[in-house]
Amino acid sequence: MRCRLLVCLVVVLAVAAGSSPAAAAREYAAVFNFGDSLTDTGNLCVDGIPDYLATARLPYGMTYFGYPTGRVSDGRVVVDFIAQELGMPLLPPSKAKNATFHRGANFAITGATAMDMAFFEARGLAHAIWSSGSLHTQIKWFRDMKHKICSSPQECRDLFRRSLFIVGEFGGNDYGSTMFAFRPLPEVHDLIPHIVDSIGRGVEELVAEGAVDLVVPGMMPIGCFPLYLSMFPRPAPEMYGARSGCAKDLNTLAWVHNAALQRKIEQLRAKHPGVRIVYADYYTPAIQFVLHAEKYGVVEVMKSQIYQVTGAKK
């Protein structure tokens, strides 16, 4: 699933740069990634993976590294595939000790939000947020790291002009915190302009630092997530997609967020004509994986993983 999604993303990057994927790989001197559990490569667990975390046990890490790494995945996460597709080493988590960051860094951390904690505190939702690594906190980490990767402001700007910045996905945990607090869905929708504006401000902060190539992914169809389907059952069959079985209203939330984010990106492009800002569509491929699971090998992969963990027959 992730690999196919990444092929699409790398092609988008190459087209945006007006080059082939191979040429794009030569272009980028470094990759800097910001995000949540979709791309966290270990920031949550740089001092070791606590036993109480599910990610400390199989099947996490089993298909590539052979052991849990802090990634919320059975192997690599999306940014790992991006780095490898561009011919670069895997990005070290920004909090890693004794790591070098001259080819980039990964600031993503599991549970990250687009909004800062004060936003949730004002709405009585602080108890539903357990990560302090918001988008703007991650950008602060990025600024704090600059002295480790370049020796002057001009050298930094030169490096960042030749680097790829990936900003997101953000928003999923913001909306999730509100839903897990059992707030009504219209209240969750009210967050959309705040979250999209926050992502836009984050992009502009990175542009001010010298970034000229940025990818901003949208949300996946959260109405297809097993967690949401089990926690928030719908009272009528017609509230689920006839083919997908996904919750229609939650997928609508993701779709509306993505539409608003694309409008924001268009505004940013007009404001910064010398900067390439690419929207990455995670929603459409993810829906295709749900609708055509066997075509993409998802069913066989799941059977194989169950077999490896339990010893049950495929």
Side-chain angles (χ1 to χ4, degrees), residues 12-32:
V12 167
L13 290 172
V15 170
S19 60
S20 67
R26 291 194 298 270
E27 178 182 344
Y28 296 121
V31 176
F32 297 97

Side-chain angles (χ1 to χ4, degrees), residues 5-15 20-21 24 81-83 85-86:
L5 198 104
L6 246 294
V7 169
C8 296
L9 180 54
V10 171
V11 169
V12 167
L13 290 172
V15 170
S20 67
F81 288 103
I82 291 176
E85 193 74 20
L86 296 177

